[in-house]
Amino acid sequence: MRNTAVIIYIDHFIHNIQQVRNLVGPSVKICASVKADAYGHGAVALARAAERAGIDFLGIACPEEGAELRNAGIRLPLLMYGLCLPEEIPRVVDLEISAIVADAAGIEGFARSAARQKKVARLHLKIDTGMGRIGCLPEQALSLAKQIASSPHLILEGLATHFPISDEADRSFTQRQIQQFLGIVNQIEKESIRPPLLHASNSGGILQYPEANLSMVRPGILLYGYFPSREVPRTLSLKPVMELKASVLFLKKVPPGTPISYGCTYRTHETTTIATIGAGYADGYPRSLSNKGRVLIRNRCYPIVGRVTMDQIMVDVGKDPEVERYDEAILFGPNPLGPSAEEVAELAGTITYEITCGINRRIPRRYIGDT
Ligand SMILES: *Cc1c(COP(=O)(O)O)cnc(C)c1O
């Protein structure tokens, strides 16, 4: 019954990588954030493409994501952004994942596990300069850096921080974070501890604070073809990577006053044709786009009428429709004639990240372009 498909344009992903590469220059490393199954696009396929496109690191959130990539034969260095449970540390060490740490107990856990496995664990110390999430307090950074540097089983591979509002217009908060981070780096380097990777910038930082590129940047959303917010300068030419489409499964001519979908929130104004499309909120298309969204069929947009249901959406295609049964309807994607994921996100009152991450895994991803 469901002909829904997610098309992933690999060549758009590569194009976006090149855009970021051109902006940061050849000497700054790029850690492509492929956490959350590459923001819903499929981590393994995009990691392979990233590997060929000259990406230096892949950013993941948890050990499972690292295992998936390693099992698929991905050899690139992996950086785990999130913390893990003590019992997961041996697996992280075994998979040779570089790990973020933020406290003495975590560092000790990695030292013990690495010693037991006769390996060296590579750690990045995360310093909280304003995110209020994981990360040590600035005044703890030096002693934690020393703890890592003094262990024969650990390498202090990096120092990191994270920006909560680098995609907003106000600049003073992020500038203060950058200054504070550089001050801490300086303090640590004075003790002759010189971690090779200093990194802070997410997509917003890359666009607005070139002085925070340091030795590595960690873009996510830019690589998938979207700007992180409306407030950043749109200085890159990005191509959205994901397209969500479904088939027109049914067409029906109805008289004026016909109620459409649950709650009867819409009634037709005149004689018209209602097309039923085989995708719904179970696929990750937001239910909040009921009576708000639009879809692209044969290069024309049509409004969603009535509530978005679990597996089906109704659109009004007019009295004498150009639409035919089994046509393809695009719910969002790179085609500028139709809705973008950004438009869907704005209508749903959320961010593009949540839309692409939320597209259900029961829909097959079809990879187009150089895979
Ligand atoms: C997700 C994430 C990023 C990427 O953020 P974007 O806004 O998608 O560029 C960078 N760093 C960390 C620590 C993250 O969790």
Side-chain angles (χ1 to χ4, degrees), residues 51 241 276 341:
E51 206 158 37
V241 176
T276 300

Side-chain angles (χ1 to χ4, degrees), residues 33 35 39 81 126 133 162 202-203 218-221 228 353:
S33 303
K35 60 187 177 177
Y39 292 31
Y81 295 161
K126 182 83 170 276
R133 198 168 60 177
H162 193 46
N202 49 7
S203 293
R218 307 187 303 262
I221 200 77
Y353 302 68

